[in-house]
């Protein structure tokens, strides 16, 4: 911790293996900047305790969903845990620490759609003598991963408020609404009952519609 403070880092990351290392957490609690903690392999009651520990000390904390298998198979990603964390800990930011294959560009999209807002990715550059491990991404794979994330944000669109409607959408829906048609000839000034009209598509310009 003294070295971290000496170098004035802005963020401190607690890996899953130290999530319940209470002597370390007690020392970290003296840190005044953001703490991000990965909760891989940690029971829910222990996560509750750690979150409560930092909240009672008014220390900024973010929680990362993480699976501590390297690499993590698709069927073990457990991305629904993001939903659980967001519901259970509404006052803190929830993120996703990834260990899946670096060629998997789907998980990041799902994590974003579920509301994760912080992301951790292992990155490396192979050399002639050292190969990358199975969960670390090359710079090119990171670029594609970030492109997938950008695409996910574009697809998710507006957040927290009702999105605006384009004129094309409004016009298309208007064309598909049921128009009001007379069952028989109607005289000017005649009072019309429901039984004297029917609703059907297509409707015409300026026609009264069911909506």
């Amino acid at each position: 911790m003294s070295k971290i403070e000496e170098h004035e880092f802005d963020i401190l990351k607690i890996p899953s293996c130290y999530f319940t290392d209470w002597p370390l957490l007690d020392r970290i609690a003296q840190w005044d900047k953001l703490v991000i903690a990965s909760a891989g392999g940690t029971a829910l009651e222990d996560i509750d305790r750690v979150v409560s520990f930092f909240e009672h000390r008014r220390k900024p904390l973010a929680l990362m969903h993480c699976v501590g298998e390297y690499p993590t198979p698709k069927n073990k990603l457990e991305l629904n845990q993001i939903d659980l964390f967001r519901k259970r800990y509404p006052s803190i930011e929830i993120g996703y620490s990834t260990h899946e294959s670096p060629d998997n560009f789907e998980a990041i999209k799902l994590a974003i759609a579920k509301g994760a807002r912080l992301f951790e990715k292992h990155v490396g550059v192979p050399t002639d003598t050292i190969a990358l491990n199975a969960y670390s991404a090359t710079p090119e794979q990171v670029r594609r991963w970030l492109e997938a994330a950008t695409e996910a944000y574009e697809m998710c669109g507006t957040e927290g408020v009702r999105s605006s409607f384009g004129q094309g959408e409004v016009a298309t829906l208007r064309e598909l609404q049921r128009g009001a048609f007379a069952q028989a000839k109607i005289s000017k000034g005649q009072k019309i009952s429901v039984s004297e009209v029917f609703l059907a598509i297509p409707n015409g310009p300026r026609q009264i519609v069911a909506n």
Side-chain angles (χ1 to χ4, degrees), residues 102-175:
D103 285 323
N104 182 333
F105 305 112
E106 300 168 347
I108 182 64
K109 292 183 177 182
L110 292 170
I112 288 171
K114 286 181 171 294
R117 290 296 176 264
L118 300 169
F119 305 94
E120 178 184 19
K121 188 77 169 172
H122 292 262
V123 183
V125 178
T127 71
D128 294 336
T129 57
I130 302 175
L132 285 185
N133 57 42
Y135 59 91
S136 291
T138 65
E140 173 59 22
Q141 287 170 321
V142 170
R143 183 187 64 79
R144 293 180 61 191
W145 185 73
L146 291 172
E147 288 174 349
T150 300
E151 189 175 59
Y153 279 114
E154 290 173 349
M155 289 190 288
C156 288
T158 304
E159 183 176 5
V161 297
R162 189 69 174 124
S163 59
S164 59
F165 315 116
Q167 290 301 312
E169 180 183 7
V170 172
T172 297
L173 293 174
R174 176 60 172 79
E175 291 173 358

Side-chain angles (χ1 to χ4, degrees), residues 11-104:
I11 297 170
L12 189 149
K13 169 67 194 305
I14 303 173
S16 297
C17 54
Y18 296 149
F19 192 87
T20 53
D21 184 331
W22 286 102
L24 178 61
L25 297 182
D26 191 57
R27 177 64 178 87
I28 289 173
Q30 300 173 36
W31 171 268
D32 290 327
K33 299 178 183 178
L34 176 63
V35 173
I36 300 175
S38 286
T42 305
L44 195 58
E45 56 266 27
D46 284 327
I47 300 175
D48 287 345
R49 293 186 185 103
V50 171
V51 170
S52 177
F53 175 82
F54 281 97
E55 286 185 335
H56 278 85
R57 287 158 180 77
R58 301 185 182 278
K59 300 296 181 179
L61 176 70
L63 184 64
M64 306 288 274
H65 164 57
C66 173
V67 177
E69 290 193 34
Y70 309 91
T72 310
K74 284 184 178 181
N75 64 340
K76 293 186 178 181
L77 289 175
E78 295 290 351
L79 292 170
N80 286 335
Q81 293 295 295
I82 296 171
D83 300 318
L84 172 66
F85 288 173
R86 290 187 69 211
K87 183 177 181 180
R88 194 172 184 89
Y89 313 112
S91 64
I92 64 176
E93 288 284 357
I94 303 301
Y96 175 47
S97 178
T98 75
H99 295 130
E100 66 269 14
S101 166
D103 285 323
N104 182 333

Side-chain angles (χ1 to χ4, degrees), residues 173-174 176-179 199 208-211:
L173 293 174
R174 176 60 172 79
L176 295 172
Q177 292 169 355
R178 295 186 300 160
L199 302 169
I208 295 173
V209 293
N211 301 57

